[in-house]
Amino acid sequence: MLRSKWGQKRSLDSRRGYHTGDLHSGAWTWELEIYTYQNRFRLVRCSKSCRLRWTNYLRPGIKRGNFTDQEEKMIIHLQALLGNRWAAIASYLPQRTDNDIKNYWNTHLKKKLKKLELSPYEDPIPMSRGQWEKRLQTDIHLARQALCDALSPEKPSASSDLSEAKHKPVPGSSVSSKSVQTLTTIYPSSTENIAKLLKGWTKDPAKQAHRTVVADLSMTDSTFSGGGMPSNRTEVSDNVFESLIKLESLDSSTSGFSRSMSPEISHLQDESRLRFGGDDQEQLSLLLNWLFDEAGKEQLCDFPMADNADSF
DNA sequence: AAATATACCAACCGCTGCTAC
DNA sequence: CGTAGCAGCGGTTGGTATATT
């Protein structure tokens, strides 16, 4: 029988005398696999299939098997922040492929969350989906506010709101006064990250902006449909910032998360810390222009998410 | 033991963006 | 500027293993 797929299971491969693991450990080339399959089954794979096979299955360093609790939490958290952007989520789990994460989400986590209707943060006290969404939005609000303050030169008392927040923890929010302090400490590096990320954008703002729109339009969020998640360009861009901030916040609180953080992000952080050692305001002003002028239809500081959160 | 249902996940499909020409 | 080729992404499919009846 001519199989239409590479061989579904490792055990099946083994029964055929074909061990992907052997290829891993040896001097593997994907040409070898093409050769093997073509001679064994007389199949001709297109380059796309081969690339996919490589990136999702054969690439060295891919971790297989069950997801750990830590990984599971990260996926849930990142999915909430980034939506179904599996590639982006996978960048924070270097050993897992986007396909793996996507499958795991669709087959396990969706059901799990639906069944339990609990907070993905796994607080000691179970929380309903609505409560969890409210808390998430409040967290995002605080992070957004922090970013706004950090970026706004016209607001000398930049952290006033935040200082207030320190004294008045938002009910239901997981951002305690302690974590707010964490946010305070992570402003600079977050700003730097954003400026760094925008570095590419500044090369061709129109294109990058278009990409963002396209990316957002193609984004669907089954979990949070109608839950106040991003629905336009500005918000989705903000979401990236929020995720950065949030992730850094987590970084401060969970070393495991820090360890598994995307090497790219880590690199950006390191590099930007060096770059922004002085008064490199150019990047910052570009960022501000982008945030407040071009995308000024919806001001960053309007905090629409907060309004939504209040409506719960 | 056989039939059926369910779970899992590698691979497929269609789309978009980038690059080279 | 238009086009072809390629890479990457996310949704979906369908083959297989396992559980249940």
Side-chain angles (χ1 to χ4, degrees):
Chain A
M1 175 185 167
L2 195 67
R3 292 173 56 77
S4 62
K5 296 197 176 185
W6 292 100
Q8 283 284 333
K9 301 287 177 190
R10 194 174 293 254
S11 57
L12 204 66
D13 290 343
S14 303
R15 267 183 266 144
R16 291 199 169 102
Y18 174 69
H19 299 273
T20 52
D22 293 345
L23 295 176
H24 279 154
S25 54
W28 185 91
T29 64
W30 62 339
E31 287 85 355
L32 174 61
E33 175 159 38
I34 296 165
Y35 173 84
T36 305
Y37 265 103
Q38 285 186 355
N39 281 279
R40 200 179 290 270
F41 303 113
R42 298 293 171 198
L43 284 179
V44 178
R45 300 289 177 182
C46 69
S47 59
K48 187 177 178 177
S49 295
C50 293
R51 180 169 45 79
L52 209 64
R53 170 76 168 166
W54 166 258
T55 52
N56 285 335
Y57 198 79
L58 296 168
R59 182 164 50 92
I62 289 179
K63 184 177 168 186
R64 312 197 64 80
N66 295 336
F67 281 69
T68 64
D69 286 346
Q70 171 84 3
E71 287 173 322
E72 196 174 297
K73 283 176 192 172
M74 279 179 70
I75 292 168
I76 293 168
H77 198 100
L78 288 165
Q79 203 279 341
L81 285 166
L82 301 169
N84 294 355
R85 291 168 180 168
W86 306 118
I89 293 171
S91 70
Y92 293 95
L93 294 157
Q95 293 178 311
R96 302 288 188 179
T97 68
D98 55 349
N99 209 33
D100 243 2
I101 293 170
K102 182 172 62 183
N103 282 331
Y104 190 67
W105 174 266
N106 287 331
T107 57
H108 290 90
L109 296 179
K110 249 164 121 173
K111 291 176 197 167
K112 201 170 180 178
L113 288 177
K114 189 176 179 181
K115 186 180 175 184
L116 296 176
E117 289 281 6
L118 292 175
S119 161
Y121 297 92
E122 291 191 4
D123 282 346
I125 303 168
M127 190 185 287
S128 72
R129 172 69 60 83
Q131 284 175 311
W132 176 62
E133 285 181 5
K134 181 178 179 179
R135 195 178 75 172
L136 177 65
Q137 297 223 10
T138 310
D139 289 353
I140 290 172
H141 170 208
L142 281 172
R144 188 192 292 249
Q145 197 170 348
L147 175 62
C148 179
D149 287 346
L151 295 176
S152 176
E154 295 105 28
K155 292 181 182 176
S157 58
S159 60
S160 59
D161 289 344
L162 200 64
S163 302
E164 203 174 325
K166 278 182 189 176
H167 300 298
K168 296 180 187 175
V170 180
S173 171
S174 64
V175 181
S176 62
S177 60
K178 186 184 174 183
S179 55
V180 168
Q181 280 182 322
T182 305
L183 280 173
T184 311
T185 60
I186 56 109
Y187 289 170
S189 55
S190 296
T191 311
E192 292 153 14
N193 280 341
I194 294 158
K196 187 71 184 179
L197 287 169
L198 285 171
K199 194 179 174 184
W201 175 81
T202 56
K203 288 177 185 171
D204 193 344
K207 277 188 185 178
Q208 292 293 337
H210 176 66
R211 289 188 67 178
T212 312
V213 175
V214 171
D216 187 39
L217 286 175
S218 65
M219 190 183 94
T220 56
D221 195 303
S222 54
T223 308
F224 292 96
S225 55
M229 290 306 280
S231 59
N232 61 42
R233 172 190 174 279
T234 314
E235 283 189 35
V236 81
S237 302
D238 290 349
N239 242 19
V240 175
F241 301 158
E242 288 154 9
S243 73
L244 282 170
I245 292 170
K246 191 76 183 181
L247 291 175
E248 286 211 33
S249 177
L250 281 171
D251 184 23
S252 305
S253 56
T254 57
S255 56
F257 200 99
S258 170
R259 276 195 300 275
S260 54
M261 182 173 281
S262 164
E264 276 186 23
I265 298 295
S266 301
H267 174 69
L268 290 177
Q269 287 176 0
D270 293 342
E271 196 178 321
S272 59
R273 282 193 186 100
L274 293 172
R275 283 182 54 84
F276 285 80
D279 55 346
D280 193 347
Q281 293 296 320
E282 192 179 347
Q283 298 276 356
L284 199 54
S285 61
L286 281 170
L287 172 63
L288 288 169
N289 286 339
W290 180 66
L291 284 173
F292 295 108
D293 295 337
E294 186 193 337
K297 292 170 191 170
E298 184 195 338
Q299 292 293 324
L300 180 65
C301 296
D302 284 346
F303 305 123
M305 303 280 285
D307 295 336
N308 293 339
D310 290 343
S311 66
F312 277 105

mmCIF file of all heavy atoms in Angstrom, chain A residues 230-270:
data_model
loop_
_atom_site.group_PDB
_atom_site.id
_atom_site.type_symbol
_atom_site.label_atom_id
_atom_site.label_comp_id
_atom_site.label_asym_id
_atom_site.label_seq_id
_atom_site.Cartn_x
_atom_site.Cartn_y
_atom_site.Cartn_z
ATOM 1 N N PRO A 230 -8.070 41.839 20.928
ATOM 2 C CA PRO A 230 -7.748 42.785 19.879
ATOM 3 C C PRO A 230 -8.651 42.675 18.673
ATOM 4 O O PRO A 230 -8.998 41.600 18.240
ATOM 5 C CB PRO A 230 -6.324 42.385 19.496
ATOM 6 C CG PRO A 230 -5.775 41.758 20.702
ATOM 7 C CD PRO A 230 -6.935 41.082 21.374
ATOM 8 N N SER A 231 -8.996 43.829 18.146
ATOM 9 C CA SER A 231 -9.835 43.818 16.962
ATOM 10 C C SER A 231 -9.369 44.816 15.924
ATOM 11 O O SER A 231 -10.011 45.017 14.925
ATOM 12 C CB SER A 231 -11.271 44.130 17.358
ATOM 13 O OG SER A 231 -11.321 45.388 17.981
ATOM 14 N N ASN A 232 -8.277 45.488 16.192
ATOM 15 C CA ASN A 232 -7.740 46.372 15.163
ATOM 16 C C ASN A 232 -6.237 46.454 15.271
ATOM 17 O O ASN A 232 -5.613 45.883 16.145
ATOM 18 C CB ASN A 232 -8.363 47.768 15.255
ATOM 19 C CG ASN A 232 -8.069 48.426 16.577
ATOM 20 O OD1 ASN A 232 -6.954 48.338 17.077
ATOM 21 N ND2 ASN A 232 -9.067 49.049 17.165
ATOM 22 N N ARG A 233 -5.685 47.164 14.304
ATOM 23 C CA ARG A 233 -4.240 47.205 14.170
ATOM 24 C C ARG A 233 -3.538 47.696 15.432
ATOM 25 O O ARG A 233 -2.590 47.109 15.909
ATOM 26 C CB ARG A 233 -3.888 48.112 12.992
ATOM 27 C CG ARG A 233 -2.433 48.399 12.859
ATOM 28 C CD ARG A 233 -2.237 49.476 11.822
ATOM 29 N NE ARG A 233 -0.851 49.889 11.757
ATOM 30 C CZ ARG A 233 -0.317 50.750 12.600
ATOM 31 N NH1 ARG A 233 -1.029 51.237 13.571
ATOM 32 N NH2 ARG A 233 0.946 51.087 12.480
ATOM 33 N N THR A 234 -4.007 48.822 15.940
ATOM 34 C CA THR A 234 -3.346 49.418 17.080
ATOM 35 C C THR A 234 -3.348 48.484 18.274
ATOM 36 O O THR A 234 -2.357 48.336 18.960
ATOM 37 C CB THR A 234 -4.037 50.732 17.468
ATOM 38 O OG1 THR A 234 -4.265 51.469 16.306
ATOM 39 C CG2 THR A 234 -3.186 51.503 18.440
ATOM 40 N N GLU A 235 -4.485 47.862 18.445
ATOM 41 C CA GLU A 235 -4.568 47.008 19.620
ATOM 42 C C GLU A 235 -3.656 45.814 19.512
ATOM 43 O O GLU A 235 -3.070 45.383 20.477
ATOM 44 C CB GLU A 235 -6.016 46.550 19.824
ATOM 45 C CG GLU A 235 -6.863 47.644 20.417
ATOM 46 C CD GLU A 235 -8.232 47.120 20.812
ATOM 47 O OE1 GLU A 235 -8.315 45.965 21.255
ATOM 48 O OE2 GLU A 235 -9.198 47.857 20.673
ATOM 49 N N VAL A 236 -3.570 45.293 18.302
ATOM 50 C CA VAL A 236 -2.730 44.106 18.200
ATOM 51 C C VAL A 236 -1.275 44.470 18.407
ATOM 52 O O VAL A 236 -0.505 43.722 18.978
ATOM 53 C CB VAL A 236 -2.927 43.381 16.846
ATOM 54 C CG1 VAL A 236 -2.146 44.033 15.746
ATOM 55 C CG2 VAL A 236 -2.519 41.932 16.970
ATOM 56 N N SER A 237 -0.909 45.652 17.952
ATOM 57 C CA SER A 237 0.454 46.083 18.184
ATOM 58 C C SER A 237 0.686 46.269 19.672
ATOM 59 O O SER A 237 1.719 45.880 20.207
ATOM 60 C CB SER A 237 0.704 47.387 17.449
ATOM 61 O OG SER A 237 0.452 47.216 16.085
ATOM 62 N N ASP A 238 -0.283 46.861 20.317
ATOM 63 C CA ASP A 238 -0.178 47.023 21.755
ATOM 64 C C ASP A 238 -0.031 45.684 22.435
ATOM 65 O O ASP A 238 0.697 45.542 23.405
ATOM 66 C CB ASP A 238 -1.440 47.717 22.296
ATOM 67 C CG ASP A 238 -1.482 49.167 21.869
ATOM 68 O OD1 ASP A 238 -0.457 49.660 21.357
ATOM 69 O OD2 ASP A 238 -2.524 49.786 22.038
ATOM 70 N N ASN A 239 -0.727 44.737 21.877
ATOM 71 C CA ASN A 239 -0.676 43.421 22.479
ATOM 72 C C ASN A 239 0.727 42.855 22.490
ATOM 73 O O ASN A 239 1.124 42.174 23.413
ATOM 74 C CB ASN A 239 -1.605 42.466 21.719
ATOM 75 C CG ASN A 239 -2.692 41.952 22.608
ATOM 76 O OD1 ASN A 239 -2.964 42.549 23.650
ATOM 77 N ND2 ASN A 239 -3.309 40.878 22.218
ATOM 78 N N VAL A 240 1.444 43.126 21.425
ATOM 79 C CA VAL A 240 2.823 42.664 21.383
ATOM 80 C C VAL A 240 3.594 43.291 22.521
ATOM 81 O O VAL A 240 4.347 42.628 23.226
ATOM 82 C CB VAL A 240 3.472 43.024 20.034
ATOM 83 C CG1 VAL A 240 4.929 42.647 20.036
ATOM 84 C CG2 VAL A 240 2.739 42.333 18.909
ATOM 85 N N PHE A 241 3.370 44.591 22.705
ATOM 86 C CA PHE A 241 4.056 45.281 23.790
ATOM 87 C C PHE A 241 3.658 44.691 25.134
ATOM 88 O O PHE A 241 4.487 44.432 25.996
ATOM 89 C CB PHE A 241 3.701 46.778 23.780
ATOM 90 C CG PHE A 241 4.063 47.455 22.498
ATOM 91 C CD1 PHE A 241 3.446 48.630 22.138
ATOM 92 C CD2 PHE A 241 5.024 46.913 21.646
ATOM 93 C CE1 PHE A 241 3.782 49.268 20.955
ATOM 94 C CE2 PHE A 241 5.361 47.545 20.466
ATOM 95 C CZ PHE A 241 4.734 48.714 20.118
ATOM 96 N N GLU A 242 2.355 44.498 25.233
ATOM 97 C CA GLU A 242 1.863 43.958 26.492
ATOM 98 C C GLU A 242 2.490 42.611 26.787
ATOM 99 O O GLU A 242 2.874 42.315 27.903
ATOM 100 C CB GLU A 242 0.346 43.820 26.428
ATOM 101 C CG GLU A 242 -0.355 45.146 26.489
ATOM 102 C CD GLU A 242 -1.713 45.092 25.817
ATOM 103 O OE1 GLU A 242 -2.170 43.997 25.451
ATOM 104 O OE2 GLU A 242 -2.314 46.158 25.652
ATOM 105 N N SER A 243 2.581 41.824 25.746
ATOM 106 C CA SER A 243 3.141 40.503 25.975
ATOM 107 C C SER A 243 4.579 40.602 26.416
ATOM 108 O O SER A 243 5.021 39.865 27.288
ATOM 109 C CB SER A 243 3.027 39.661 24.717
ATOM 110 O OG SER A 243 3.935 40.080 23.744
ATOM 111 N N LEU A 244 5.282 41.554 25.828
ATOM 112 C CA LEU A 244 6.674 41.733 26.221
ATOM 113 C C LEU A 244 6.760 42.123 27.678
ATOM 114 O O LEU A 244 7.554 41.591 28.451
ATOM 115 C CB LEU A 244 7.330 42.816 25.363
ATOM 116 C CG LEU A 244 7.744 42.373 23.962
ATOM 117 C CD1 LEU A 244 8.158 43.578 23.144
ATOM 118 C CD2 LEU A 244 8.861 41.364 24.033
ATOM 119 N N ILE A 245 5.910 43.076 28.021
ATOM 120 C CA ILE A 245 5.926 43.542 29.402
ATOM 121 C C ILE A 245 5.552 42.405 30.334
ATOM 122 O O ILE A 245 6.197 42.139 31.338
ATOM 123 C CB ILE A 245 4.960 44.715 29.584
ATOM 124 C CG1 ILE A 245 5.489 45.913 28.818
ATOM 125 C CG2 ILE A 245 4.767 45.040 31.034
ATOM 126 C CD1 ILE A 245 4.499 47.051 28.724
ATOM 127 N N LYS A 246 4.495 41.738 29.953
ATOM 128 C CA LYS A 246 4.012 40.662 30.799
ATOM 129 C C LYS A 246 5.072 39.583 30.952
ATOM 130 O O LYS A 246 5.312 39.068 32.032
ATOM 131 C CB LYS A 246 2.751 40.064 30.156
ATOM 132 C CG LYS A 246 2.005 39.124 31.048
ATOM 133 C CD LYS A 246 1.235 39.898 32.093
ATOM 134 C CE LYS A 246 0.535 38.955 33.052
ATOM 135 N NZ LYS A 246 -0.230 39.673 34.040
ATOM 136 N N LEU A 247 5.690 39.279 29.834
ATOM 137 C CA LEU A 247 6.685 38.231 29.875
ATOM 138 C C LEU A 247 7.853 38.636 30.744
ATOM 139 O O LEU A 247 8.411 37.837 31.475
ATOM 140 C CB LEU A 247 7.158 37.905 28.454
ATOM 141 C CG LEU A 247 6.098 37.228 27.598
ATOM 142 C CD1 LEU A 247 6.586 37.054 26.187
ATOM 143 C CD2 LEU A 247 5.723 35.889 28.198
ATOM 144 N N GLU A 248 8.202 39.907 30.647
ATOM 145 C CA GLU A 248 9.306 40.350 31.489
ATOM 146 C C GLU A 248 8.909 40.303 32.942
ATOM 147 O O GLU A 248 9.705 39.978 33.817
ATOM 148 C CB GLU A 248 9.722 41.768 31.105
ATOM 149 C CG GLU A 248 10.473 41.786 29.790
ATOM 150 C CD GLU A 248 11.478 42.907 29.759
ATOM 151 O OE1 GLU A 248 12.030 43.232 30.818
ATOM 152 O OE2 GLU A 248 11.700 43.456 28.700
ATOM 153 N N SER A 249 7.633 40.626 33.166
ATOM 154 C CA SER A 249 7.151 40.543 34.525
ATOM 155 C C SER A 249 7.256 39.127 35.038
ATOM 156 O O SER A 249 7.700 38.879 36.150
ATOM 157 C CB SER A 249 5.699 41.024 34.579
ATOM 158 O OG SER A 249 5.182 40.890 35.855
ATOM 159 N N LEU A 250 6.856 38.232 34.183
ATOM 160 C CA LEU A 250 6.958 36.831 34.562
ATOM 161 C C LEU A 250 8.413 36.454 34.753
ATOM 162 O O LEU A 250 8.769 35.676 35.623
ATOM 163 C CB LEU A 250 6.346 35.953 33.473
ATOM 164 C CG LEU A 250 4.829 35.865 33.488
ATOM 165 C CD1 LEU A 250 4.348 35.154 32.236
ATOM 166 C CD2 LEU A 250 4.366 35.132 34.722
ATOM 167 N N ASP A 251 9.218 37.021 33.888
ATOM 168 C CA ASP A 251 10.636 36.726 33.966
ATOM 169 C C ASP A 251 11.172 37.037 35.349
ATOM 170 O O ASP A 251 11.998 36.327 35.893
ATOM 171 C CB ASP A 251 11.372 37.565 32.905
ATOM 172 C CG ASP A 251 12.842 37.234 32.856
ATOM 173 O OD1 ASP A 251 13.195 36.124 33.286
ATOM 174 O OD2 ASP A 251 13.605 38.080 32.408
ATOM 175 N N SER A 252 10.669 38.118 35.896
ATOM 176 C CA SER A 252 11.141 38.521 37.207
ATOM 177 C C SER A 252 10.638 37.601 38.303
ATOM 178 O O SER A 252 11.266 37.450 39.343
ATOM 179 C CB SER A 252 10.671 39.948 37.512
ATOM 180 O OG SER A 252 11.082 40.805 36.489
ATOM 181 N N SER A 253 9.491 37.017 38.027
ATOM 182 C CA SER A 253 8.890 36.230 39.084
ATOM 183 C C SER A 253 9.086 34.731 38.931
ATOM 184 O O SER A 253 9.043 33.998 39.889
ATOM 185 C CB SER A 253 7.391 36.534 39.169
ATOM 186 O OG SER A 253 6.792 36.292 37.912
ATOM 187 N N THR A 254 9.284 34.302 37.711
ATOM 188 C CA THR A 254 9.469 32.875 37.493
ATOM 189 C C THR A 254 10.731 32.624 36.709
ATOM 190 O O THR A 254 10.822 32.928 35.535
ATOM 191 C CB THR A 254 8.282 32.279 36.718
ATOM 192 O OG1 THR A 254 8.152 32.997 35.498
ATOM 193 C CG2 THR A 254 6.997 32.349 37.507
ATOM 194 N N SER A 255 11.674 32.054 37.374
ATOM 195 C CA SER A 255 12.955 31.827 36.717
ATOM 196 C C SER A 255 12.843 30.822 35.592
ATOM 197 O O SER A 255 13.556 30.876 34.612
ATOM 198 C CB SER A 255 13.975 31.337 37.738
ATOM 199 O OG SER A 255 13.483 30.189 38.385
ATOM 200 N N GLY A 256 11.911 29.876 35.741
ATOM 201 C CA GLY A 256 11.730 28.884 34.703
ATOM 202 C C GLY A 256 11.335 29.516 33.397
ATOM 203 O O GLY A 256 11.809 29.153 32.332
ATOM 204 N N PHE A 257 10.479 30.486 33.510
ATOM 205 C CA PHE A 257 10.026 31.204 32.323
ATOM 206 C C PHE A 257 11.195 31.932 31.699
ATOM 207 O O PHE A 257 11.361 31.933 30.491
ATOM 208 C CB PHE A 257 8.944 32.192 32.735
ATOM 209 C CG PHE A 257 8.091 32.627 31.592
ATOM 210 C CD1 PHE A 257 6.859 32.029 31.389
ATOM 211 C CD2 PHE A 257 8.512 33.603 30.721
ATOM 212 C CE1 PHE A 257 6.054 32.417 30.342
ATOM 213 C CE2 PHE A 257 7.712 33.992 29.678
ATOM 214 C CZ PHE A 257 6.489 33.405 29.485
ATOM 215 N N SER A 258 11.974 32.523 32.539
ATOM 216 C CA SER A 258 13.119 33.270 32.040
ATOM 217 C C SER A 258 14.059 32.376 31.262
ATOM 218 O O SER A 258 14.537 32.727 30.209
ATOM 219 C CB SER A 258 13.855 33.900 33.213
ATOM 220 O OG SER A 258 15.078 34.422 32.801
ATOM 221 N N ARG A 259 14.249 31.205 31.812
ATOM 222 C CA ARG A 259 15.176 30.294 31.166
ATOM 223 C C ARG A 259 14.694 29.892 29.778
ATOM 224 O O ARG A 259 15.471 29.719 28.869
ATOM 225 C CB ARG A 259 15.359 29.044 32.028
ATOM 226 C CG ARG A 259 16.374 29.209 33.117
ATOM 227 C CD ARG A 259 16.749 27.858 33.657
ATOM 228 N NE ARG A 259 15.627 27.135 34.204
ATOM 229 C CZ ARG A 259 15.186 27.278 35.434
ATOM 230 N NH1 ARG A 259 15.763 28.128 36.238
ATOM 231 N NH2 ARG A 259 14.160 26.579 35.868
ATOM 232 N N SER A 260 13.375 29.775 29.674
ATOM 233 C CA SER A 260 12.850 29.286 28.409
ATOM 234 C C SER A 260 12.482 30.407 27.462
ATOM 235 O O SER A 260 11.946 30.167 26.408
ATOM 236 C CB SER A 260 11.618 28.422 28.674
ATOM 237 O OG SER A 260 10.694 29.130 29.443
ATOM 238 N N MET A 261 12.765 31.614 27.860
ATOM 239 C CA MET A 261 12.422 32.743 27.004
ATOM 240 C C MET A 261 13.185 32.666 25.688
ATOM 241 O O MET A 261 14.299 32.191 25.621
ATOM 242 C CB MET A 261 12.748 34.043 27.724
ATOM 243 C CG MET A 261 12.377 35.263 26.905
ATOM 244 S SD MET A 261 12.575 36.747 27.845
ATOM 245 C CE MET A 261 11.114 36.734 28.812
ATOM 246 N N SER A 262 12.511 33.126 24.656
ATOM 247 C CA SER A 262 13.101 33.085 23.322
ATOM 248 C C SER A 262 14.485 33.699 23.340
ATOM 249 O O SER A 262 14.694 34.790 23.847
ATOM 250 C CB SER A 262 12.206 33.856 22.372
ATOM 251 O OG SER A 262 12.904 34.157 21.194
ATOM 252 N N PRO A 263 15.429 33.013 22.769
ATOM 253 C CA PRO A 263 16.791 33.552 22.706
ATOM 254 C C PRO A 263 16.825 34.879 21.980
ATOM 255 O O PRO A 263 17.621 35.743 22.301
ATOM 256 C CB PRO A 263 17.528 32.478 21.897
ATOM 257 C CG PRO A 263 16.721 31.248 22.005
ATOM 258 C CD PRO A 263 15.297 31.692 22.177
ATOM 259 N N GLU A 264 15.939 35.011 21.005
ATOM 260 C CA GLU A 264 15.904 36.268 20.258
ATOM 261 C C GLU A 264 15.565 37.427 21.160
ATOM 262 O O GLU A 264 16.204 38.462 21.136
ATOM 263 C CB GLU A 264 14.850 36.185 19.149
ATOM 264 C CG GLU A 264 15.372 35.515 17.905
ATOM 265 C CD GLU A 264 14.352 35.587 16.788
ATOM 266 O OE1 GLU A 264 13.494 36.486 16.821
ATOM 267 O OE2 GLU A 264 14.438 34.753 15.890
ATOM 268 N N ILE A 265 14.535 37.222 21.985
ATOM 269 C CA ILE A 265 14.112 38.289 22.889
ATOM 270 C C ILE A 265 15.229 38.594 23.867
ATOM 271 O O ILE A 265 15.545 39.757 24.130
ATOM 272 C CB ILE A 265 12.839 37.880 23.642
ATOM 273 C CG1 ILE A 265 11.699 37.651 22.651
ATOM 274 C CG2 ILE A 265 12.442 38.910 24.661
ATOM 275 C CD1 ILE A 265 11.235 38.874 21.899
ATOM 276 N N SER A 266 15.828 37.541 24.384
ATOM 277 C CA SER A 266 16.909 37.750 25.338
ATOM 278 C C SER A 266 18.031 38.548 24.704
ATOM 279 O O SER A 266 18.592 39.456 25.305
ATOM 280 C CB SER A 266 17.442 36.394 25.806
ATOM 281 O OG SER A 266 16.410 35.660 26.389
ATOM 282 N N HIS A 267 18.321 38.192 23.483
ATOM 283 C CA HIS A 267 19.379 38.886 22.776
ATOM 284 C C HIS A 267 19.026 40.356 22.603
ATOM 285 O O HIS A 267 19.855 41.235 22.812
ATOM 286 C CB HIS A 267 19.585 38.230 21.416
ATOM 287 C CG HIS A 267 20.557 38.973 20.547
ATOM 288 N ND1 HIS A 267 21.894 39.032 20.842
ATOM 289 C CD2 HIS A 267 20.381 39.703 19.414
ATOM 290 C CE1 HIS A 267 22.508 39.759 19.913
ATOM 291 N NE2 HIS A 267 21.599 40.170 19.035
ATOM 292 N N LEU A 268 17.785 40.589 22.230
ATOM 293 C CA LEU A 268 17.344 41.963 22.044
ATOM 294 C C LEU A 268 17.487 42.744 23.333
ATOM 295 O O LEU A 268 17.907 43.896 23.338
ATOM 296 C CB LEU A 268 15.890 41.999 21.577
ATOM 297 C CG LEU A 268 15.639 41.499 20.157
ATOM 298 C CD1 LEU A 268 14.151 41.528 19.858
ATOM 299 C CD2 LEU A 268 16.399 42.332 19.156
ATOM 300 N N GLN A 269 17.122 42.082 24.417
ATOM 301 C CA GLN A 269 17.219 42.758 25.704
ATOM 302 C C GLN A 269 18.655 43.151 25.995
ATOM 303 O O GLN A 269 18.954 44.284 26.339
ATOM 304 C CB GLN A 269 16.711 41.844 26.809
ATOM 305 C CG GLN A 269 15.208 41.686 26.797
ATOM 306 C CD GLN A 269 14.766 40.693 27.838
ATOM 307 O OE1 GLN A 269 15.591 40.127 28.558
ATOM 308 N NE2 GLN A 269 13.475 40.492 27.942
ATOM 309 N N ASP A 270 19.550 42.179 25.829
ATOM 310 C CA ASP A 270 20.944 42.438 26.138
ATOM 311 C C ASP A 270 21.491 43.577 25.289
ATOM 312 O O ASP A 270 22.129 44.493 25.775
ATOM 313 C CB ASP A 270 21.774 41.171 25.891
ATOM 314 C CG ASP A 270 21.403 40.083 26.870
ATOM 315 O OD1 ASP A 270 20.784 40.438 27.912
ATOM 316 O OD2 ASP A 270 21.700 38.920 26.610
#
